[in-house]
Amino acid sequence: MGRLYSWPGGLFQHNLISLTELLSNDDKTIALMAAKLLAYNKVKNAFPVLIEFIKTGNEVKYKRDAAVLLEEITGLRYGFDYERWYNWW
């Protein structure tokens, strides 16, 4: 699944800057997709955003996507437990 969101050899610097800026996008779908791309490429800025989705996501879809992605990348099984993710980070 990770290969769907990453480029061979990692992100180029200009793409990294653009994606990082999208983390704060008002459209949560865009912010979540940027976080996915960055997290798969081990960019640390993405992890707090994903953890925040678990805490504040009004839609279960965003919480679920963030939790699944965090679990997939880290190997930890914290689900929707915001406190455990926050303490991990």
Side-chain angles (χ1 to χ4, degrees):
M1 185 170 176
R3 290 192 176 114
L4 293 174
Y5 299 109
S6 62
W7 290 275
L11 296 171
F12 295 107
Q13 188 64 28
H14 68 279
N15 290 334
L16 176 64
I17 292 168
S18 298
L19 285 171
T20 302
E21 291 170 357
L22 291 176
L23 291 174
S24 59
N25 194 293
D26 289 336
D27 183 330
K28 296 305 176 197
T29 302
I30 291 172
L32 183 60
M33 184 56 71
K36 285 180 179 183
L37 288 164
L38 292 167
Y40 274 122
N41 285 281
K42 309 292 190 255
V43 177
K44 292 182 179 182
N45 297 24
F47 291 97
V49 173
L50 291 169
I51 293 167
E52 197 61 26
F53 268 112
I54 291 172
K55 178 182 179 186
T56 62
N58 292 334
E59 294 184 38
V60 173
K61 171 190 167 208
Y62 296 124
K63 288 184 180 214
R64 183 194 65 234
D65 287 355
V68 167
L69 181 61
L70 284 165
E71 289 181 346
E72 184 178 307
I73 291 172
T74 66
L76 300 171
R77 299 292 176 243
Y78 295 162
F80 295 136
D81 190 335
Y82 169 79
E83 291 298 321
R84 289 183 79 186
W85 284 116
Y86 180 84
N87 289 330
W88 167 80
W89 180 247

